[in-house]
Amino acid sequence: MPSLLEIDGLTRRFGGLTAVDGVSLSLGQGELLSVIGPNGAGKTTLFNLVTGLDAPDEGRVRFDGEDITGWSAPALAQRGLARTFQHGRVFANLSVLDNVLVGAHTRLQAARPRLGGIPGAGALAELALALVQPPGVARVARRLREEALEIIALFGTRLAPRIDHPAYSLSYANRRRVEIARALALQPRLLLLDEPTAGMNESETAEMQEIIRELKRRGHTILLIEHKLDLVMQLSDRVVVLDNGAKIAEGAPDAVRHDPAVIEAYLGHRHVGEKAAVAA
């Protein structure tokens, strides 16, 4: 399949610590690739380098053939990259619906008139557009609201009855769901999920697994970080394993699960005979 994301020799150092050490990988259109590894392996740092929250010391990132190394997070969002975070981030005082609509902000901005060349525009122009939306902008806003409601419906009764509830009133698991819904509102070409089931119990994890499976069925290209390896093995097309910042394995889930280097990274010693060790 054609590569949508290509990472070549990506390296990030913090003083004497190399958090990401020459990592290369590719992600095909419509593929779900999981990045796993022990705590401190460099997984979230890798996400930060791809999504513009940090800049690499070495290496390149290409998206759909274009070099995006060092681009800002807003520029990458406009390009179609959306992510969630290991520690969920929602706007606590906004409603569920408004949180999701924030994810569509770049699409609404694209529909608004360009006033940058008008002297004295700026804040006054922004206020005027907020108070009186041109018909074209209003149509886009209505469509984005309809799309946001459709996205919320993916999460069933967990979010749909709560669209007007402020995010601070939600359970932890529902805040994680809102964050994913907000990322989907961007209509991303690449969705990066950083531990989407962190802090969830068994039943909540099973629900999230089905949501991710549905997103994959709909053709989303997904880069996933996840510690719950049963979920990884069931959902992934391929798995990349990091340890101490370096890639130590890559391949189909079953092959990676039984790779001696992977077992050693998780157990701390060679224990090749225990097939279930990495999947437990």
Side-chain angles (χ1 to χ4, degrees):
M1 63 184 72
S3 293
L4 182 63
L5 177 72
E6 296 179 3
I7 297 172
D8 183 20
L10 215 56
T11 298
R12 182 67 171 105
R13 302 181 186 92
F14 298 96
L17 172 68
T18 303
V20 175
D21 190 1
V23 172
S24 297
L25 60 84
S26 64
L27 176 61
Q29 183 76 45
E31 187 178 21
L32 193 157
L33 175 66
S34 290
V35 180
I36 66 171
N39 289 331
K43 303 181 295 295
T44 293
T45 301
L46 180 66
F47 262 37
N48 291 343
L49 295 174
V50 172
T51 57
L53 295 186
D54 196 4
D57 296 303
E58 299 172 16
R60 315 304 299 173
V61 181
R62 293 179 178 83
F63 182 69
D64 199 15
E66 183 176 15
D67 191 333
I68 60 169
T69 310
W71 283 27
S72 68
L76 292 173
Q78 290 182 335
R79 194 73 173 82
L81 279 75
R83 71 167 294 178
T84 64
F85 292 85
Q86 182 178 6
H87 304 290
R89 300 183 184 183
V90 295
F91 297 97
N93 291 318
L94 293 183
S95 69
V96 168
L97 179 57
D98 285 340
N99 262 278
V100 176
L101 285 171
V102 167
H105 176 71
T106 58
R107 297 169 60 201
L108 183 61
Q109 284 290 99
R112 301 175 74 180
R114 304 286 183 180
L115 300 175
I118 301 176
L124 288 177
E126 289 292 328
L127 177 60
L129 286 173
L131 294 174
V132 183
Q133 289 187 335
V137 177
R139 282 194 299 271
V140 172
R142 286 194 298 270
R143 187 177 74 246
L144 293 179
R145 187 179 190 279
E146 291 170 359
E147 291 178 7
L149 292 173
E150 291 175 2
I151 292 169
I152 290 171
L154 282 173
F155 298 86
T157 58
R158 298 297 189 181
L159 293 184
R162 299 176 172 86
I163 59 170
D164 295 321
H165 293 196
Y168 70 76
S169 69
L170 302 178
S171 68
Y172 176 80
N174 277 340
R175 292 180 199 175
R176 300 306 300 262
R177 295 181 178 104
V178 168
E179 190 181 18
I180 294 174
R182 184 178 64 205
L184 290 173
L186 181 67
Q187 287 192 344
R189 300 179 63 201
L190 173 59
L191 178 62
L192 300 98
L193 301 176
D194 192 349
E195 295 195 39
T197 69
M200 293 187 179
N201 60 33
E202 187 175 341
S203 63
E204 291 166 341
T205 296
E207 289 179 17
M208 183 59 68
Q209 179 172 326
E210 290 308 308
I211 291 293
I212 298 172
R213 193 189 307 277
E214 174 63 17
L215 295 176
K216 180 181 176 183
R217 187 190 67 78
R218 295 184 180 199
H220 283 275
T221 304
I222 300 173
L223 189 59
L224 172 69
I225 292 175
E226 183 54 65
H227 275 296
K228 296 177 182 176
L229 298 181
D230 282 344
L231 180 150
V232 168
M233 299 304 167
Q234 292 181 49
L235 289 178
S236 305
D237 295 304
R238 289 185 299 122
V239 179
V240 167
V241 187
L242 301 184
D243 189 29
N244 292 320
K247 183 171 72 173
I248 62 170
E250 179 177 3
D254 193 59
V256 166
R257 182 174 59 188
H258 297 99
D259 188 301
V262 177
I263 295 173
E264 181 179 13
Y266 274 90
L267 295 180
H269 58 84
R270 293 201 176 276
H271 206 147
V272 180
E274 292 193 8
K275 293 183 177 181
V278 177

